[in-house]
Amino acid sequence: MNLIECRLSDYMLGCIQLDNMGCAGSSQTKAEGTAKKIRKPKAWKHPQPITKSQLIQLREEFWDTAPHYGGTKEIWDALRAAAEADLTLAQAIVDSAGIIVQNPDLTVCFDERGARYELPKYVLSEPKNLIRSS
């Protein structure tokens, strides 16, 4: 069989192939029918202890500039909504937006056209060394 086209979204569903007779078929992939379940990132530390307000400022700066890194605003908006939601809702958002999750903690994702989206851990969870106000 000769592989003729395999876009990123096809990879998740099975690549289009032609056999020697010219008939199109679909190959089976391990990921077929199984989307990656997302999870919160592993515990992490910021280089310096930061306050909740500093963390919020970092997050706002990232989301304000994220669309300039490439991809579409709609996917960035969906990723933000997923990052700020509980895991069940986040999974539903990712699935309905057609986001392909490479890393289950959402740090690396792709859209159906193959654009890459990288999210820093600070938009997904709080650091271990967050300064709690008293």
Side-chain angles (χ1 to χ4, degrees):
M1 290 188 170
N2 295 325
L3 180 65
I4 60 166
E5 181 181 1
C6 186
R7 295 185 331 234
L8 186 56
S9 61
D10 294 333
Y11 177 74
M12 297 304 285
L13 300 174
C15 299
I16 305 294
Q17 295 186 345
L18 288 180
D19 64 18
N20 293 335
M21 301 297 289
C23 298
S26 177
S27 66
Q28 299 294 320
T29 65
K30 185 177 179 182
E32 186 165 301
T34 58
K36 279 191 180 178
K37 280 193 73 131
I38 62 173
R39 60 171 172 75
K40 287 289 184 189
K42 292 179 182 168
W44 61 281
K45 277 180 114 175
H46 192 271
Q48 306 91 19
I50 60 171
T51 64
K52 181 75 171 176
S53 62
Q54 290 171 316
L55 179 63
I56 291 168
Q57 182 179 353
L58 274 174
R59 290 175 174 177
E60 288 300 321
E61 288 172 4
F62 174 80
W63 293 119
D64 288 346
T65 59
H68 302 292
Y69 301 134
T72 65
K73 183 177 180 340
E74 294 77 18
I75 298 296
W76 282 114
D77 289 346
L79 286 169
R80 182 176 187 169
E84 295 173 352
D86 64 63
L87 288 177
T88 304
L89 180 56
Q91 185 74 56
I93 292 167
V94 165
D95 293 344
S96 65
I99 296 169
I100 300 159
V101 177
Q102 179 174 330
N103 294 348
D105 63 4
L106 293 181
T107 54
V108 179
C109 301
F110 293 89
D111 64 21
E112 292 175 331
R113 294 183 178 174
R116 183 180 175 106
Y117 299 80
E118 292 187 40
L119 303 181
K121 288 183 180 179
Y122 64 79
V123 301
L124 299 166
S125 66
E126 295 180 345
K128 291 192 300 185
N129 58 344
L130 183 70
I131 299 169
R132 308 265 179 210
S133 57
S134 46

